[in-house]
Amino acid sequence: MEHANELWGRRLREVRTESGMSQKALGIAAGLDQFVASTRINRYELGVHKADFLIAQRLAEVLDIPAAYFYTEDDKLAELVIEYHRAGSRKKASILKAART
């Protein structure tokens, strides 16, 4: 099983890369000081450090994903969390209905 910080960091790196943002740009957009933004994001992605929940929420907001994505242990569930977040209201209802059956 992947270490929690490494999993968190991998998820951050994947979604940041998909968004096309640099580490520095993401850090600055999330409210980190511009002089440490790239280093902090790099440390998070490497699993050296884990962001506190407030920073995780800011990163998630900038990346347009739910913060829960970072904390979900199962990769398929993490994928579902993003799909649900990005879905319209009709698709969300359909997802919930399918989950209940």
Side-chain angles (χ1 to χ4, degrees), residues 54-70:
L54 180 61
I55 295 295
Q57 285 180 309
R58 289 185 198 156
L59 292 168
E61 184 178 323
V62 171
L63 295 165
D64 190 28
I65 60 166
Y69 170 77
F70 294 124

Side-chain angles (χ1 to χ4, degrees), residues 1-11 44 47 49-50 70-73:
M1 181 177 189
E2 205 169 3
H3 184 271
N5 286 0
E6 292 168 358
L7 175 66
W8 199 98
R10 177 175 56 84
R11 294 248 171 86
Y44 296 151
H49 298 292
K50 187 171 166 188
F70 294 124
Y71 300 98
T72 304
E73 291 177 19

Side-chain angles (χ1 to χ4, degrees), residues 14-65:
E14 286 172 358
V15 75
R16 177 190 59 79
T17 302
E18 287 173 9
S19 77
M21 293 186 84
S22 68
Q23 291 175 335
K24 185 172 185 171
L26 174 58
I28 291 170
L32 301 176
D33 182 276
Q34 67 178 348
F35 298 107
V36 299
S38 181
T39 302
R40 293 251 319 257
I41 298 300
N42 182 266
R43 297 283 185 187
Y44 296 151
E45 289 183 359
L46 292 175
V48 174
H49 298 292
K50 187 171 166 188
D52 65 31
F53 191 68
L54 180 61
I55 295 295
Q57 285 180 309
R58 289 185 198 156
L59 292 168
E61 184 178 323
V62 171
L63 295 165
D64 190 28
I65 60 166

